[in-house]
Amino acid sequence: MALALAARPDAEEPWPQPFARDVLEGLGRAQKTLPAKYFYDEAGSQLFDRICDLPEYYPTRTETGILRDAAGRIAARAGAGCSLVEFGSGSSTKVRILLDAMDAPAAYVPIDISAEHMRSAASALRADYPGLDVVPMAADFTRAVHLPADLPGRRVGFFPGSTIGNFTPPEAADFLRQAGETLGEASLLVLGVDLRKQVGRLEAAYNDAAGVTAAFNLNLLHRMNRELGGTFDVAAFRHRAFFNPVESRIEMHLESLADQRVEVAGQGFQFGAGETIHTENSYKYSVDDLEALAGRAGWKVPERFTDTDGLFAVFCLTRQD
């Protein structure tokens, strides 16, 4: 059944879609949930940038180290004059490692749902790489994306940060298939993946002592208040993150601290004390499991790179014949 969006009381325009529709659908479920992509408004994107610099958050510095060590070999696979396409580009920080190693890259296409944050990063890249054609695309990369038809050279996808872990495995396979269709024949995809490890280290990465990850999670409530007329008392919720061993994933939740009722986009929702909104998954893979997943999605793995502690891996994927 389609959800009817109530009219905004102060404007002729409806509540922003698809944000409002996804929120109403998610909060209407028995286990309330919200899509993780809505973390990344301007405030959320800035908070995530801070998360990446936290001492507990090993993925960013580990992947960065792998990319620095492997950049030459990745660039050799990409070839001269390629077009680099980054899914969920954020601040476009790690891509600089590849751009610096590549032979005369022709174009860089950052794709991100947070348009303002992405365009600021794109402007900085244009200044630092004057010979590079930077073509930002404000889009939801979890859906079909149509790249400019005139992109020169080989298309090389870049999907770092283990963002693939935010999808369920079937969703991850769907994304990889879709990325292959987006990039086209003879393309290359450079994929960052967080590997399975000790639970204590995993949970610490999502429960930092400074509370930045908690602020990032709670920012979803602020965003719904601001953009959808929400009445969330942010202080009446807390951040929770824990490892689910059955699903091999970190789960992030927002837990209600009391019985309460809230309104958002013109509809009311009841919360019991202890009830949660499930806001994010971060699946952790073994190398073999990821290679099998990629194979089901039409990719083969000619090369992969890991750190010495086996915390993280960067895969080079090529289309299967």
Side-chain angles (χ1 to χ4, degrees):
M1 178 182 298
L3 290 169
L5 293 179
R8 294 179 65 170
D10 58 345
E12 294 181 0
E13 293 298 318
W15 297 106
Q17 297 187 52
F19 185 28
R21 193 168 300 279
D22 288 348
V23 166
L24 294 182
E25 180 182 345
L27 295 184
R29 295 174 180 171
Q31 168 59 72
K32 294 178 172 64
T33 185
L34 292 173
K37 64 186 178 183
Y38 293 120
F39 281 130
Y40 299 98
D41 63 351
E42 181 65 15
S45 296
Q46 291 177 3
L47 285 165
F48 185 73
D49 286 347
R50 290 176 58 194
I51 288 171
C52 292
D53 292 332
L54 293 169
E56 298 96 332
Y57 197 73
Y58 63 86
T60 299
R61 61 178 175 272
T62 306
E63 183 179 33
T64 298
I66 294 170
L67 287 170
R68 285 176 177 151
D69 291 342
R73 289 165 68 177
I74 294 171
R77 284 193 175 276
C82 70
S83 289
L84 191 55
V85 178
E86 184 171 5
F87 299 97
S89 57
S91 296
S92 298
T93 301
K94 294 172 191 168
V95 75
R96 291 170 177 263
I97 300 171
L98 297 185
L99 289 172
D100 288 344
M102 286 176 165
D103 183 0
Y108 170 58
V109 183
I111 305 171
D112 203 278
I113 199 169
S114 180
E116 183 177 351
H117 196 66
M118 174 190 62
R119 287 170 181 146
S120 175
S123 178
L125 277 168
R126 288 192 187 99
D128 294 340
Y129 297 86
L132 183 69
D133 188 14
V134 180
V135 187
M137 294 182 64
D140 180 357
F141 67 85
T142 67
R143 303 183 180 186
V145 176
H146 300 288
L147 298 176
D150 58 350
L151 283 179
R154 187 183 193 186
R155 293 180 177 185
V156 178
F158 186 41
F159 195 37
S162 200
T163 307
I164 193 74
N166 295 151
F167 302 120
T168 66
E171 290 169 344
D174 287 344
F175 168 78
L176 291 174
R177 276 189 290 269
Q178 181 176 282
E181 293 172 2
T182 297
L183 296 169
E185 296 181 2
S187 57
L188 174 71
L189 178 62
V190 181
L191 176 69
V193 179
D194 197 11
L195 302 178
R196 292 178 187 147
K197 58 186 62 66
Q198 299 91 339
V199 171
R201 187 159 198 172
L202 281 172
E203 291 188 341
Y206 295 83
N207 292 284
D208 60 278
V212 182
T213 309
F216 174 70
N217 200 6
L218 289 162
N219 182 61
L220 267 172
L221 304 182
H222 288 295
R223 182 176 185 183
M224 287 188 288
N225 284 349
R226 183 177 63 253
E227 297 183 24
L228 300 179
T231 61
F232 287 95
D233 178 0
V234 177
F237 288 83
R238 72 172 179 125
H239 162 76
R240 285 189 62 207
F242 56 87
F243 184 67
N244 179 334
V246 175
E247 300 291 344
S248 189
R249 69 190 186 194
I250 286 283
E251 294 185 12
M252 289 214 319
H253 292 251
L254 291 167
E255 181 183 352
S256 176
L257 300 178
D259 294 338
Q260 55 183 308
R261 185 180 185 278
V262 301
E263 289 192 2
V264 59
Q267 294 195 24
F269 297 93
Q270 192 68 35
F271 286 82
E275 187 176 1
T276 70
I277 308 172
H278 189 170
T279 55
E280 185 180 51
N281 293 317
S282 184
Y283 284 83
K284 310 305 173 183
Y285 288 93
S286 69
V287 167
D288 289 345
D289 285 348
L290 192 285
E291 291 191 356
L293 176 70
R296 292 193 297 273
W299 296 91
K300 57 186 177 181
V301 186
E303 195 166 19
R304 68 173 184 265
F305 311 94
T306 61
D307 61 289
T308 56
D309 294 326
L311 301 178
F312 203 95
V314 173
F315 293 79
C316 285
L317 308 182
T318 56
R319 298 292 299 277
Q320 294 179 2
D321 296 331

